[in-house]
């Protein structure tokens, strides 16, 4: 999983989402099973903030959506 930390995505919400995801992974004991890293600008800032899970780009991510996205994509990892 990668989170765009380019300046547009970062300032439009990923600054908080990155913290949220780190805490979520820790809380759910997934931090040793999921590789989570920052990415440079993905080139489609206007659709951001962007997140990549399993090579799929998820656009328009917000803090409110983050839990739902993680639950959906990480549900088969235990
Ligand atoms: S800053 Fe995220 S796509 Fe450009």
């Amino acid at each position: 999983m990668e989170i765009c930390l380019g300046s547009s995505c970062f300032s439009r919400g990923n600054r908080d989402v990155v913290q949220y995801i780190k805490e979520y992974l820790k809380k759910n004991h997934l931090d040793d099973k999921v590789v989570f890293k920052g990415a440079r600008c993905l080139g489609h800032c206007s659709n951001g903030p962007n997140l990549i899970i399993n090579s799929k780009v998820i656009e328009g991510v917000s803090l409110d959506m983050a839990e739902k996205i993680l639950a959906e994509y990480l549900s088969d990892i235990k």
Side-chain angles (χ1 to χ4, degrees), residues 2-3 6 15 36 42 56 58 68 70 74 78:
E2 289 181 65
I3 186 163
R15 180 203 330 249
F36 179 48
L42 307 174
K56 181 178 182 343
I58 302 161
K68 194 166 170 251
L70 294 176
L74 305 180
K78 283 286 169 233

Side-chain angles (χ1 to χ4, degrees), residues 20-39:
Y20 179 83
I21 293 177
K22 278 190 199 166
E23 284 164 24
Y24 181 97
L25 294 176
K26 203 180 262 183
K27 199 170 68 188
N28 291 285
H29 310 289
L30 294 169
D31 46 342
D32 56 346
K33 301 189 181 91
V34 176
V35 177
F36 179 48
K37 57 187 183 177

Side-chain angles (χ1 to χ4, degrees), residues 3-12 14 39-51 57:
I3 186 163
C4 180
L5 296 178
S7 54
S8 172
C9 291
F10 188 76
S11 66
R12 290 164 66 211
N14 274 357
R40 296 208 191 126
C41 176
L42 307 174
H44 29 103
C45 314
S46 57
N47 299 332
N50 298 312
L51 185 65
V57 179

